[in-house]
Amino acid sequence: MEIIPSYSLLEHNTFRVEAKAQWWIAYRDIEDLKKLAKDEYFETLSFINLGLGANTLFLGDYKGAVLHSQITSIEEVGVIDSSMSSDSTPSHLIRVGSGVVWDEFVAETIARGFYGLENLSGIPASVGAAIVQNIGAYGSEVGHYVEEIEAFDLGTGKVLRLCAEEAQFGYRSSLFKTPQYDKVVITHVTFRLSTKPQPNLTYRALAEAFEGVVAPTPLEVRHKVLTIRGSKLPKVEEYPNAGSFFKNPLVSQEKFESIQKEFSSVPHWLSPNGDPNVKLSAAWLIDQAGYKGKRIGSVGCYPLQPLVIVNYGTPLGKEILFFSEKVKHAVRERFGIELEPEVRMVGTLHDNGEK
Ligand SMILES: Cc1cc2nc3c(=O)[nH]c(=O)nc-3n(C[C@H](O)[C@H](O)[C@H](O)COP(=O)(O)OP(=O)(O)OC[C@H]3O[C@@H](n4cnc5c(N)ncnc54)[C@H](O)[C@@H]3O)c2cc1C
């Protein structure tokens, strides 16, 4: 276990803002976590989990411990009989450490001939956070491929094992985002993957890209997804950002119809499971509110994708927060809709960091 006081988080957040952790703790296995759970000083500290920091905005220094997984094993742990699956193909169970970089894991599964995750290529994440956020893209969500999650509760000192259903995956959410789970650390995830390629081309941009191709291979799908992502999203190294800053809002049918009267082509999705609410595109709302490509000082909305807020050079997380508040305000004024951040904010503006 690596424990470092007063540790710079500059390289551990994709907004590249400056912040320090009172303690940086990188753990290598569950034994490290068991030691922490018994440590009297650690008990007095608040702590957060941090993977790549691709969904985190530090508003100031963090007074407490920042826990970072360095569990990086990848192993095949079993096969589920073909008679148990709908398409008579056996599923392979791949157990991976929470500290593995998500896209490296996706590449590795495809190279080993285990398929399913290709549409989720290129998402900057650690495996642990991929579960917490239920990352999704191009018509696919990670929760769909999960067999089991192993975690450690630093509050109770207990090991937890949850199946996908228990994890309550939803739109960019899971059980791990609820307050009862804020002392829980994910250590391993077991995925159920198939050896039979089943390309998922439900997402329009992907279907169009493969028009005329009968059965693209998982590797071809991965490359296409990476190409499309590269053409739409800013590169973190050039334009520090955390992907979508806000969630797509759910609005009532009545609200949707009032907007549709003014904009007949307002992008929207009907909610599954008979939910009467309608999901709107946050990017479209921000664009209509006049913020596409708009920049104030060192922060702005990316011109090609206004849902992405870019840090053009400030070392201060709070400047990014202030800009995001302006975007929220503009959308509220224009449409009466409250945007909810997808990005996690850590620290407060007033106490120099403590959560
Ligand atoms: C350029 C760019 C593009 C993106 N595109 C997408 C996209 O297409 N789809 C999408 O869904 N997201 C996307 N994102 C958002 C981001 O990739 C995801 O939110 C991802 O899950 C962040 O992973 P992370 O390791 O960086 O998380 P962090 O920011 O480090 O943490 C995120 C959350 O996970 C928790 N966490 C981290 N590790 C653990 C652990 N071991 N145990 C328990 N909790 C843990 C943290 O407490 C926090 O709540 C994008 C981000 C960027 C920068």
Side-chain angles (χ1 to χ4, degrees), residues 150-203:
E150 293 161 66
F152 185 77
D153 188 333
L154 278 164
T156 62
K158 286 201 174 118
V159 173
L160 310 174
R161 284 174 184 272
L162 287 89
C163 67
E165 204 179 9
E166 288 168 321
Q168 296 174 18
F169 290 115
Y171 169 53
R172 300 298 164 271
S173 77
S174 69
L175 186 70
F176 298 100
K177 285 182 120 173
T178 59
Q180 301 92 292
Y181 279 73
D182 69 354
K183 287 194 162 29
V184 170
V185 178
I186 295 174
T187 56
H188 297 87
V189 184
T190 301
F191 288 90
R192 179 200 280 243
L193 301 174
S194 174
T195 48
K196 183 177 167 192
Q198 288 162 315
N200 167 3
L201 304 181
T202 49
Y203 196 83

Side-chain angles (χ1 to χ4, degrees), residues 93-112:
L93 299 178
I94 315 295
R95 181 175 182 257
V96 54
S98 55
V100 170
V101 172
W102 173 255
D103 194 51
E104 290 174 10
F105 176 57
V106 174
E108 173 112 12
T109 57
I110 295 173
R112 290 197 198 178

Side-chain angles (χ1 to χ4, degrees), residues 3-79:
I3 303 180
I4 307 176
S6 190
Y7 184 85
S8 169
L9 298 168
L10 185 64
E11 295 300 321
H12 295 279
N13 73 93
T14 57
F15 270 123
R16 295 288 180 260
V17 294
E18 280 172 8
K20 273 192 180 150
Q22 186 186 2
W23 294 100
W24 170 262
I25 303 181
Y27 54 92
R28 296 208 167 83
D29 52 32
I30 202 158
E31 296 311 316
D32 283 347
L33 294 171
K34 284 181 181 166
K35 273 184 216 148
L36 280 179
K38 287 186 193 143
D39 187 286
E40 280 179 15
Y41 176 63
F42 180 77
E43 247 180 55
T44 66
L45 295 173
S46 59
F47 73 87
I48 56 163
N49 287 295
L50 188 71
L52 305 187
N55 192 50
T56 300
L57 174 59
F58 287 103
L59 302 177
D61 292 344
Y62 182 68
K63 193 156 176 275
V66 171
L67 263 56
H68 179 70
S69 173
Q70 285 185 337
I71 306 178
T72 54
S73 53
I74 302 180
E75 53 184 336
E76 187 179 349
V77 291
V79 181

